[in-house]
Amino acid sequence: MTLQGSEQLWCKICGFIEIDDVTATVMAGASAIGLNFYPGSARYVSESTAQQLSLAAAAAAPECQRVGLFVNAEAADVEQVLATVELDLLQFSGDESATFCRSFGKPYLKAVKMRPETDIREFEDEYADAWALLLDTYDAEQAGGTGRAFDWSLWPSRSAKRLILAGGLEPENVASAVAQLAPFGVDVASGVEGQHKGRKDSARVRRFLQEARHG
């Protein structure tokens, strides 16, 4: 599914750890922010911190979606987060089944790790009720946030699903990526950060959003 007419490109900035960064990002016009609940990530946040970030996003821009990211979490852990943190979407970036993903009663994104043997049609069929599929870079050691792009020639030429491009995006290449692939949306973390993972560079965030939507 690609954008039609004047519909604005969906832009998610992921992996927040500071309230000031959340506020600046949503006020800059991000469609969504991502909060990382994967303990193996440098951008992991506790439930109490995540709730503060969620509330800050809602206060600054109520229309901005708050996405909770999980990687092969136990159902009880996801439920515990949902009992504490206000989230609009769930993102599953591990090996979760469609049954698991839909069991929490929230719209969800399913990450697909792209490599030559990936059959995107299988994911479209299995996760037919997903809000969108997020196509990211395959890495045997990392669940995401690699900062590397996958081979864009693997991008499906046609899809009935919303497709979100992730992996290695930054202000310097997002315009060409959008022009080439026409995704429904884009997702970035490290590409708008400085030296410290999780801390966003507000100037890079603004430039990323500008380049993604207007080239």
Side-chain angles (χ1 to χ4, degrees):
M1 179 181 292
T2 57
L3 293 175
Q4 301 293 326
S6 61
E7 185 179 354
Q8 182 167 255
L9 185 77
W10 189 85
C11 295
K12 171 171 164 273
I13 314 296
C14 198
F16 287 89
I17 61 174
E18 296 287 346
I19 288 178
D20 289 349
D21 292 343
V22 166
T23 301
T25 296
V26 300
M27 293 185 70
S31 309
I33 62 160
L35 304 175
N36 196 321
F37 297 102
Y38 175 48
S41 172
R43 302 178 182 91
Y44 168 79
V45 286
S46 66
E47 293 156 37
S48 59
T49 297
Q51 176 62 348
Q52 294 176 23
L53 299 174
S54 173
L55 291 175
E63 70 279 7
C64 182
Q65 294 172 303
R66 298 158 297 176
V67 184
L69 186 156
F70 300 89
V71 180
N72 295 329
E74 296 292 334
D77 293 333
V78 179
E79 294 284 9
Q80 183 172 319
V81 168
L82 288 173
T84 306
V85 186
E86 295 179 34
L87 298 173
D88 303 300
L89 283 167
L90 304 181
Q91 177 179 329
F92 295 104
S93 293
D95 303 312
E96 302 89 355
S97 68
T99 300
F100 181 90
C101 293
R102 71 171 67 99
S103 67
F104 303 99
K106 290 271 188 185
Y108 72 91
L109 312 174
K110 182 67 182 77
V112 180
K113 304 307 170 62
M114 299 298 292
R115 45 182 172 169
E117 59 267 37
T118 301
D119 185 347
I120 192 67
R121 305 304 176 200
E122 290 186 3
F123 284 90
E124 291 173 340
D125 290 343
E126 180 178 355
Y127 301 93
D129 64 339
W131 189 83
L133 298 179
L134 186 146
L135 278 53
D136 201 354
T137 303
Y138 172 82
D139 188 289
E141 302 298 326
Q142 290 183 246
T146 65
R148 303 193 316 275
F150 61 87
D151 180 357
W152 289 347
S153 70
L154 300 175
W155 186 265
S157 58
R158 301 169 78 75
S159 177
K161 296 294 299 175
R162 295 184 178 112
L163 299 181
I164 299 166
L165 175 64
L169 293 176
E170 54 190 8
E172 293 77 12
N173 69 2
V174 69
S176 61
V178 170
Q180 179 180 335
L181 306 178
F184 166 80
V186 291
D187 186 309
V188 66
S190 60
V192 293
E193 294 176 348
Q195 294 182 340
H196 303 288
K197 289 187 177 181
R199 291 307 313 269
K200 309 306 178 190
D201 181 323
S202 60
R204 286 186 68 77
V205 169
R206 290 193 300 272
R207 186 179 164 207
F208 181 89
L209 296 172
Q210 172 69 24
E211 292 290 332
R213 289 170 173 158
H214 307 291

